[in-house]
Amino acid sequence: MLRIEFTAEDLGRLRVAPDTDPLWEIVLSLHLLQNRQAAVAFDPWRQEVRAELARAGLAGTAAALMRLSPWAAYFPDFLTPARGGGDLEAGISAVLSTPRRRLAAELAEVYARGPVPQGVRRLADGDVAALERLGEALRAYYAVAVEPYLPAVRGATADDRAVRAGAALRGGGDELLASYGPAVARDGDALVAAYPVARRMPLRGRPLTLVPSFFCVVTPVALADDALDPVLVHPLGPAPGWLARAKPPGAAPPRVAQLIGPTRALVLDALEQPRTTGQLAELLRLTASTASRHATVLREAGLVASGRRGNTVLHRRTALGDALMDGRL
């Protein structure tokens, strides 16, 4: 059982993350591939992702990431540095900036009962090449296991945000906390939740961040190190059949998505008419930096042309981009 102890003043410091966090979704989806939890809702996703990982030659990459983040009572905190709503690249940058001493300590805890694999030892030593490989592995895995499912993730997050906002407006912090039941329950001056080990987590005046997660199932998750800013990641609980419903009509053609990646396929699809970087970001619910990065890659491939219009950059699909989307290549 997890027991989060707070004072009346702590209620006023509660923070609800505006969105899921890419690194938490990576780690928790890796856990789902190691277990059979929420089988009815997630087995179709497991089957699809395993097939795509194999097709992309990333089965070994996923296995290596699982060795770093096993489905167990403990997995390292450095892989989940953000507190919700972050950008993938910013999160990976934070992971790769983890101090060497912390890397060594957390990875030693993962392998407390067995020998540390050679590759993990290099990572624990802060080896630059090993860290770079970790960053590439996180990006590659995210592109297959998380990114294609962002429409479903965002829909579930929006529904959850509406529930939390309504609760907070009705009754402030007390009502907000009550809205997380039964996964998280109020017990006097504490929140209690099912947890693999018995644990107390006093807030001591620090703000608690509540982070929604699509790939978190059954019970909430917290950071292992009490010295870190407190975070409670809670399940969004998608209903069975979500995967079939997540494939909307008019989405980018599957072959295009397999060729250039699902998000870039959506960006290219959206550029059927010219749009600025800000318009792309708003339409596809991306950060401006992410939208700009995808547009840059597409421009370098000759699929998009970009030009400055005042203080903004306007992107449009080229004839080559049209041919690709129309299936004429």
Side-chain angles (χ1 to χ4, degrees):
M1 184 71 70
L2 172 66
R3 185 177 180 85
I4 303 174
E5 300 169 353
F6 59 88
T7 64
E9 289 76 16
D10 290 327
L11 283 177
R13 302 187 186 98
L14 285 174
R15 176 180 179 267
V16 177
D19 205 345
T20 57
D21 181 83
L23 273 298
W24 274 107
E25 299 302 86
I26 286 174
V27 167
L28 294 173
S29 65
L30 284 166
H31 291 176
L32 282 182
L33 291 176
Q34 298 173 67
N35 62 41
R36 286 295 310 282
Q37 290 184 324
V40 174
F42 280 100
D43 270 0
W45 169 86
R46 288 183 177 98
Q47 181 179 4
E48 186 169 289
V49 167
R50 285 179 180 132
E52 288 301 318
L53 288 169
R55 187 176 296 117
L58 293 172
T61 297
L65 290 173
M66 290 176 195
R67 288 193 290 273
L68 289 179
S69 183
W71 180 56
Y74 176 84
F75 58 91
D77 290 329
F78 80 86
L79 288 173
T80 52
R83 289 182 289 169
D87 175 75
L88 175 65
E89 288 303 318
I92 291 176
S93 178
V95 170
L96 303 190
S97 300
T98 305
R100 177 179 172 180
R101 180 176 297 180
R102 182 178 168 192
L103 284 172
E106 294 189 6
L107 290 172
E109 180 69 19
V110 172
Y111 289 94
R113 297 185 177 181
V116 180
Q118 183 178 356
V120 176
R121 285 202 301 272
R122 286 196 293 269
L123 187 62
D125 289 339
D127 180 80
V128 174
L131 286 166
E132 289 176 350
R133 286 194 295 273
L134 173 59
E136 290 305 315
L138 291 170
R139 292 184 187 93
Y141 174 82
Y142 180 87
V144 171
V146 179
E147 193 173 40
Y149 308 99
L150 287 180
V153 173
R154 288 166 179 155
T157 304
D159 292 343
D160 182 79
R161 189 162 49 239
V163 170
R164 309 310 169 197
L169 287 172
R170 287 193 304 271
D174 283 313
E175 192 72 19
L176 174 63
L177 290 179
S179 73
Y180 287 92
V184 181
R186 181 80 175 267
D187 181 18
D189 291 335
L191 294 177
V192 295
Y195 213 65
V197 295
R199 182 179 169 197
R200 289 176 57 250
M201 192 168 83
L203 294 183
R204 298 191 294 270
R206 299 172 300 167
L208 173 67
T209 302
L210 297 155
V211 181
S213 171
F214 192 81
F215 295 104
C216 178
V217 300
V218 184
T219 61
V221 182
L223 293 169
D225 187 349
D226 280 338
L228 299 172
D229 291 337
V231 169
L232 187 66
V233 180
H234 64 89
L236 287 174
W242 67 266
L243 182 57
R245 294 190 297 271
K247 301 184 184 299
R255 290 182 181 177
V256 174
Q258 290 172 14
L259 179 64
I260 64 175
T263 300
R264 286 174 192 154
L266 290 172
V267 170
L268 195 58
D269 188 45
L271 291 178
E272 185 176 16
Q273 57 180 291
R275 299 183 193 273
T276 66
T277 302
Q279 289 169 336
L280 278 174
E282 183 178 2
L283 178 67
L284 300 177
R285 299 189 65 182
L286 303 171
T287 64
S289 62
T290 298
S292 177
R293 179 164 49 84
H294 285 305
T296 297
V297 172
L298 293 170
R299 182 172 65 251
E300 291 172 349
L303 302 173
V304 165
S306 304
R308 184 160 292 281
R309 188 178 68 178
N311 293 327
T312 63
V313 176
L314 190 67
H315 310 284
R316 61 176 178 80
R317 214 159 66 193
T318 62
L320 182 62
D322 288 338
L324 180 62
M325 293 302 293
D326 294 342
R328 291 183 277 115
L329 289 182

